[in-house]
Amino acid sequence: MLIFSTIGPAAAEPKRVLLLHSFGPQFVPWAFFAGHFREELFKQSPDKIDLYEASLEGARFQQPDEQGPIVDYLAALFGTRKLDLIVTIGAPAAFFVQKYRAQFFPSIPLVIGGPEQRAINYGTLTSLDAPVPVTLDFRKWIENILEVLPNTTHIAWVVGASPLERFWTEEFRRTSQPFTDRISFEWFNDLRFEDMLKRISQLPPHSAAFYVDLRVDAAGVPLDWDLVLPKLREATNAPIFSYIDSYLGSGIVGGPMLSSEEVGRRMAQAAVRILSGESPGDLKMQPVTLGVPQYDWRELQHWNISEDRLPAGSMVRFREPTVWQQYRWQIALMCAVFLLQGVLISGLLYQRRRRLYAEVQSRQRSAELAHMNRFSTAGELTATIAHEINQPLGAILTNIETAEIMIKSPTPDLQEIGEILADIRRDDARASEVIGRLRSLLKKAPFEPKHIDLNDVVRETMQFLSALAIAREVGLTNFIAPTPLPVKGDLIQLQQVILNLIVNAMDAMSGMPSAERRITVTTARDGNSAELSVSDVGPGIPVEKLKEVFEPFFTTKPQGMGMGLSIARTIVEAHGGRLSAENLAGRGAAFRMRLPLAAPSGASETMN
């Protein structure tokens, strides 16, 4: 893809510049270099600039048979357009231009931007070439980690699998040799990105990771740094270091930093000098070296790294100022205002005391009413809880009294006592199950889909609501499918949906005679779906409101918030299902939930 931009005086003849990327415009650190280069070029150039951009996407593979179409593409674009300068980002693009220059740009000067000095073959440079290199001190990277984390015994090099990255991996191995007596090293260039995430989460104690660059993983998948680095940071169990200042703030601790802004500035400076008439061969641009060590204060805090261990002269960025440092004058002003208000209130307190007392009493009563309203729903479930627990507790008491009588007998029947104890154990388990069921229904838990039988969920929910149905004088009937309805879902959330539908049906019939209040819950299999239906014989839903019942804040209840059905639909859709409502013939409404059937976990394991 070709990108074109223009800046400068409209009347001036433009200088045409081609910015050629090695790995595409999104690959770092060259994307940072290119961004600063564009900004500085337009800022420094006295002339109008027509800037074209193209990418050698295949350069990361470096296959000769893939470069022919790129040559033809560039030749077609610039066969009739006179270029004044070519600027390459990274060494592969520079090699490409040098290799094919004679075919389509024999006399165009070239600025080689951003390659590491060791990747430049100075013997192949001509008078048309002006390199702007960088120098990376790999040894300094290791020394920085040991200075900041002196107990480090293992370092993982996070590097990709492209040909250029493999070249630098060998340099890392060579640089690491003097440290192998106290540190073990590993390299990620033979791993897929998914395996890198797994490995970086399992690094041994006293480890550190150094993020070089990840352009392509071992599976040949191109990687985008702004997604890769956060995922690595989320997965790692060891601090991550790196060398580009633009990475700070994305999850790295820091270290001696290469300034991408400085690289872009020097590239623009070389380009402007060449466009102004200087010979590229006369430009002797000094390599950009690692600058002042910079560190992310948040990462230092996360990994418990003391600032005392940082090299002298280090810069700590993203430090969170204290509230007083941020809002000193605002706090002082607020304190003065509060003091003044206190004086005024003290002067008026006597006159306003009675009115304030009445207002306080009113607010307290309002708060009590709000508190009672918030817990009214929970209060409705009290009958269910009491009914479920009283039965086993009553049975336990009866059994204990019987056992006490038998023990006092001269010849107690130990077998029957054992049976009584077994009954007590069973009733105790039943009471515990009721409490556990309530806790599981009310607890806040993450979404945990499992293989469950929808019929069992319905039975358990109806059993839970049976006492509430009796209290409200509602006939609660169910027609459960004779065969299991296996679905994959979250038990607690599906219980919440069914409970919500049944309680809503009870509310809909609250104004009807008790003899007519009936709710029917039906489950059935429909093809590859499990279907649940909750129907009532209430007044139904106004036709014009059928499409709104699942919208947030829609309610027909005077005290309702209108969120129950909206939440229920969200839960069902999260399970891959559908929740709908319809009016029944005659009177009443029905809510239908459809969920996809799932093969039982045992069946899937057998198939595997």
Side-chain angles (χ1 to χ4, degrees):
M1 179 179 68
L2 184 70
I3 303 173
F4 169 74
S5 56
T6 304
I7 193 169
E13 180 67 21
K15 299 290 186 180
R16 296 182 177 87
V17 179
L18 171 62
L19 181 60
L20 191 60
H21 298 268
S22 291
F23 296 93
Q26 302 303 320
F27 282 83
V28 295
W30 297 280
F32 303 136
F33 300 163
H36 291 297
F37 165 74
R38 294 187 203 98
E39 180 181 353
E40 289 294 329
L41 177 64
F42 294 149
K43 184 187 301 182
Q44 297 181 24
S45 176
D47 302 309
K48 178 182 178 182
I49 298 293
D50 283 354
L51 180 62
Y52 304 84
E53 293 190 43
S55 300
L56 305 181
E57 297 290 349
R60 61 178 176 266
F61 307 112
Q62 295 186 348
Q63 298 297 327
D65 57 347
E66 296 176 346
Q67 296 178 342
I70 300 175
V71 175
D72 297 337
Y73 171 71
L74 294 177
L77 285 175
F78 301 106
T80 58
R81 293 183 178 93
K82 177 185 175 298
L83 281 176
D84 295 285
L85 179 65
I86 299 175
V87 179
T88 58
I89 301 292
F95 298 153
F96 173 86
V97 173
Q98 290 173 332
K99 181 176 180 180
Y100 295 102
R101 171 183 275 160
Q103 297 185 24
F104 51 101
F105 302 128
S107 60
I108 305 301
L110 170 66
V111 172
I112 304 173
E116 215 282 334
Q117 193 170 20
R118 280 166 285 193
I120 300 176
N121 186 352
Y122 285 89
T124 63
L125 299 182
T126 69
S127 60
L128 295 174
D129 302 325
V132 182
V134 301
T135 297
L136 302 179
D137 190 341
F138 304 156
R139 183 183 181 92
K140 186 178 291 186
W141 297 348
I142 301 176
E143 292 173 346
N144 171 72
I145 293 176
L146 295 179
E147 182 174 1
V148 174
L149 298 172
N151 295 326
T152 301
T153 57
H154 183 81
I155 295 179
W157 293 92
V158 183
V159 61
S162 68
L164 185 60
E165 288 170 295
R166 289 188 178 275
F167 167 79
W168 287 117
T169 298
E170 295 305 316
E171 290 292 317
F172 302 150
R173 293 180 188 274
R174 182 183 58 79
T175 306
S176 302
Q177 283 301 315
F179 299 90
T180 53
D181 58 335
R182 58 166 297 187
I183 302 175
S184 59
F185 295 91
E186 66 175 301
W187 291 265
F188 284 4
N189 57 302
D190 289 328
L191 300 178
R192 298 178 306 155
F193 183 63
E194 293 78 7
D195 297 328
M196 294 183 193
L197 294 177
K198 182 177 180 180
R199 177 56 189 152
I200 203 170
S201 68
Q202 300 173 350
L203 293 176
H206 305 298
S207 291
F210 194 93
Y211 178 81
V212 185
D213 290 310
L214 280 179
R215 302 164 198 135
V216 182
D217 68 4
V221 178
L223 302 173
D224 193 346
W225 82 275
D226 58 354
L227 297 177
V228 165
L229 195 49
K231 289 184 178 180
L232 288 169
R233 173 60 181 82
E234 182 180 359
T236 187
N237 67 347
I240 303 176
F241 294 80
S242 194
Y243 70 104
I244 298 291
D245 59 355
S246 299
Y247 292 156
L248 276 173
S250 300
I252 67 167
V253 175
M257 294 281 104
L258 181 68
S259 171
S260 54
E261 181 178 359
E262 179 63 17
V263 175
R265 188 189 66 79
R266 292 198 189 184
M267 289 170 54
Q269 184 182 37
V272 170
R273 290 174 62 180
I274 293 173
L275 292 173
S276 299
E278 291 191 45
S279 172
D282 294 338
L283 270 63
K284 306 298 181 184
M285 306 298 292
Q286 293 298 316
V288 181
T289 59
L290 297 177
V292 174
Q294 300 181 47
Y295 299 90
D296 188 327
W297 180 85
R298 298 165 300 185
E299 296 299 313
L300 296 177
Q301 298 298 309
H302 179 81
W303 299 108
N304 295 320
I305 300 175
S306 172
E307 293 187 37
D308 295 337
R309 295 193 178 279
L310 304 185
S314 296
M315 180 186 303
V316 179
R317 297 173 56 185
F318 307 108
R319 189 188 300 276
E320 296 179 3
T322 63
V323 175
W324 175 253
Q325 290 172 331
Q326 283 184 295
Y327 307 106
R328 179 181 308 170
W329 295 110
Q330 293 90 330
I331 293 175
L333 179 60
M334 289 175 62
C335 290
V337 171
F338 289 153
L339 180 61
L340 178 60
Q341 288 180 340
V343 173
L344 293 175
I345 292 173
S346 298
L348 298 172
L349 183 60
Y350 178 78
Q351 293 82 357
R352 301 181 62 188
R353 182 172 55 185
R354 292 180 62 85
R355 187 176 68 180
L356 288 176
Y357 177 79
E359 291 178 354
V360 168
Q361 293 296 315
S362 176
R363 285 196 295 267
Q364 288 179 346
R365 289 181 173 83
S366 297
E368 291 172 359
L369 290 174
H371 183 269
M372 293 174 60
N373 180 264
R374 285 197 300 269
F375 282 90
S376 62
T377 302
E380 293 179 355
L381 297 178
T382 303
T384 300
I385 301 169
H387 177 76
E388 292 282 342
I389 296 180
N390 280 338
Q391 287 187 349
L393 291 181
I396 290 173
L397 178 60
T398 300
N399 280 317
I400 290 175
E401 291 173 347
T402 303
E404 288 177 343
I405 295 173
M406 295 181 65
I407 290 174
K408 294 177 181 179
S409 172
T411 57
D413 188 338
L414 297 181
Q415 181 178 355
E416 187 172 353
I417 291 176
E419 293 175 356
I420 290 175
L421 293 176
D423 290 341
I424 292 174
R425 181 189 298 273
R426 183 175 60 254
D427 291 329
D428 176 78
R430 180 181 172 187
S432 298
E433 181 183 353
V434 172
I435 296 173
R437 186 191 310 150
L438 179 64
R439 292 182 61 189
S440 67
L441 182 64
L442 298 180
K443 73 178 181 179
K444 183 178 180 181
F447 182 76
E448 296 181 354
K450 298 179 180 178
H451 286 275
I452 56 178
D453 186 353
L454 183 60
N455 291 335
D456 293 339
V457 180
V458 173
R459 293 188 187 98
E460 184 174 347
T461 307
M462 293 189 67
Q463 183 180 3
F464 187 78
L465 291 173
S466 59
L468 180 61
I470 294 172
R472 290 196 176 190
E473 299 181 318
V474 175
L476 193 57
T477 308
N478 68 79
F479 295 96
I480 304 297
T483 57
L485 297 177
V487 296
K488 189 172 183 180
D490 185 285
L491 174 62
I492 297 174
Q493 292 193 5
L494 291 180
Q495 282 182 334
Q496 179 182 352
V497 172
I498 300 171
L499 186 147
N500 181 279
L501 296 179
I502 295 176
V503 172
N504 278 356
M506 291 181 182
D507 293 338
M509 297 184 297
S510 59
M512 298 176 56
S514 58
E516 299 180 12
R517 300 172 190 169
R518 297 189 308 276
I519 296 176
T520 303
V521 181
T522 306
T523 64
R525 181 184 185 122
D526 185 5
N528 293 325
S529 299
E531 183 173 288
L532 165 75
S533 172
V534 178
S535 59
D536 59 59
V537 292
I541 305 169
V543 177
E544 68 276 8
K545 301 295 185 180
L546 272 173
K547 295 183 179 180
E548 302 179 24
V549 293
F550 295 110
E551 296 298 323
F553 306 113
F554 175 84
T555 181
T556 59
K557 305 175 185 178
Q559 292 82 24
M561 294 183 61
M563 295 301 296
L565 288 176
S566 176
I567 293 173
R569 183 180 63 174
T570 301
I571 292 173
V572 173
E573 290 179 349
H575 285 75
R578 182 167 59 89
L579 183 62
S580 60
E582 62 181 15
N583 284 320
L584 300 176
R587 68 177 183 178
F591 286 82
R592 304 187 190 280
M593 177 178 71
R594 290 176 63 89
L595 295 174
L597 287 171
S601 57
S604 62
E605 293 171 0
T606 303
M607 293 176 63
N608 292 334

